[in-house]
Amino acid sequence: MALTVSDEILGTFVPIAVYWLYSGLYIVLDGLGMDDYRLHPKGEEVKNIVSKWTVVRGVLVQQAFQIAVSLLLFTVLGDESGTVRKQPSALVIALQFIIAMFVMDTWQYFMHRYMHINKFLYKHVHSKHHTLVVPYAFGALYNHPLEGLILDTIGGALSFLISGMTPRTGIFFFSFATIKTVDDHCGLWLPGNILHVFFSNNSAYHDIHHQLYGNKYNFSQPFFVMWDKILGTYMPYTLETRKGGGYEARPVKLNQAQQTDKTD
């Protein structure tokens, strides 16, 4: 008898495999020499106050929580008859993707921004992610477990439920969301990156947020920048070539943004 794996199980574990495989691709690229495409010189990684092994362990802990919640969700919502839901048309699936992207962005923007506004949550929860001043690919999900539960796991569950997608569609959606999140934290500006063609929310945009001057800006993740623009937390930037190689994301009208901070 053939061994079959349910869509629910695949939807739980495939995005995790994608996370490490896609991050691994960036590790390989880094080994080939990416100095001409870095958003920070390699020496600036000393600004990060946690080791890469600590980051790996932290991400694995978060993914363990993610697995537990995902399996619980599918157990509660599962069809005891074992019938696999029929896939809708391609048009409906595309619409479900758009709805799920909007829901995830909305949830993560407001929760992420609140974790910056609330001093207790920032100090004891969200600051863990910001120990990576110079982001890199496999640090994308390096968060406090509570943050991972609130932003990523609950945000993902809401996206899945509100969009009405099937578990099979969820495999592709969450794998895509994982790729996008890793890409946004990769710390590189690679030529020909197709994600930069379709999304303004990218590695340079998110790098601004990880810097001290951008701490109150560019909260949007992982897809669009609409909430930042609508609610006045958008920090425009230019991408400049750095002397010695690589790029630098430089905020536009930084003095004006700093003046705004003083009046908050």
Side-chain angles (χ1 to χ4, degrees):
M1 186 173 69
L3 178 64
T4 59
V5 181
S6 69
D7 292 340
E8 288 83 355
I9 294 296
L10 290 174
T12 299
F13 288 97
V14 168
I16 292 174
V18 168
Y19 182 89
W20 292 109
L21 288 171
Y22 194 57
S23 296
L25 174 62
Y26 277 110
I27 293 174
V28 172
L29 289 174
D30 187 51
L32 297 175
M34 290 284 108
D35 291 348
D36 290 340
Y37 307 107
R38 291 181 180 279
L39 294 173
H40 295 269
K42 198 163 187 177
E44 284 193 10
E45 290 185 358
V46 297
K47 293 180 179 179
N48 296 337
I49 62 176
V50 290
S51 70
K52 291 186 175 180
W53 283 115
T54 299
V55 169
V56 169
R57 289 195 299 269
V59 172
L60 290 173
V61 168
Q62 176 170 331
Q63 289 175 334
F65 275 94
Q66 181 180 323
I67 290 170
V69 173
S70 178
L71 293 177
L72 177 62
L73 176 66
F74 286 131
T75 299
V76 172
L77 299 178
D79 185 351
E80 294 182 358
S81 68
T83 304
V84 177
R85 287 171 57 187
K86 183 180 178 181
Q87 285 292 95
S89 66
L91 181 62
V92 171
I93 291 174
L95 180 61
Q96 290 172 335
F97 254 69
I98 293 171
I99 292 172
M101 290 163 74
F102 174 79
V103 171
M104 181 173 285
D105 265 31
T106 301
W107 176 263
Q108 293 210 358
Y109 174 85
F110 287 101
M111 292 297 102
H112 183 194
R113 185 176 179 182
Y114 184 67
M115 286 189 177
H116 277 266
I117 294 172
N118 186 296
K119 293 181 179 180
F120 178 86
L121 286 176
Y122 184 81
K123 179 179 180 180
H124 297 284
V125 179
H126 187 55
S127 62
K128 182 173 181 177
H129 182 67
H130 280 274
T131 56
L132 297 181
V133 180
V134 179
Y136 47 82
F138 64 85
L141 291 183
Y142 179 65
N143 300 315
H144 188 284
L146 180 60
E147 177 179 349
L149 176 65
I150 294 173
L151 262 69
D152 299 311
T153 307
I154 295 179
L158 289 172
S159 301
F160 177 81
L161 294 172
I162 294 174
S163 67
M165 64 176 58
T166 66
R168 182 162 298 179
T169 301
I171 298 170
F172 297 97
F173 174 73
F174 291 117
S175 294
F176 175 58
T178 297
I179 288 172
K180 185 67 176 59
T181 300
V182 170
D183 205 77
D184 292 346
H185 289 80
C186 71
L188 299 173
W189 188 267
L190 296 177
N193 189 330
I194 193 170
L195 293 175
H196 295 174
V197 176
F198 294 100
F199 299 99
S200 299
N201 199 331
N202 50 47
S203 55
Y205 184 84
H206 195 66
D207 184 75
I208 292 289
H209 176 72
H210 271 259
Q211 308 313 307
L212 182 61
Y213 55 73
N215 200 254
K216 294 183 179 181
Y217 299 90
N218 295 10
F219 297 110
S220 295
Q221 56 186 39
F223 300 111
F224 309 115
V225 300
M226 59 181 181
W227 287 117
D228 276 317
K229 288 190 173 183
I230 291 171
L231 296 176
T233 54
Y234 175 78
M235 180 179 279
Y237 66 91
T238 58
L239 197 64
E240 307 288 344
T241 302
R242 187 191 305 107
K243 291 181 180 180
Y247 296 98
E248 180 181 355
R250 296 179 182 173
V252 176
K253 298 181 180 179
L254 178 58
N255 291 336
Q256 180 179 340
Q258 289 174 329
Q259 188 66 34
T260 301
D261 284 348
K262 292 177 182 179
T263 60
D264 283 350

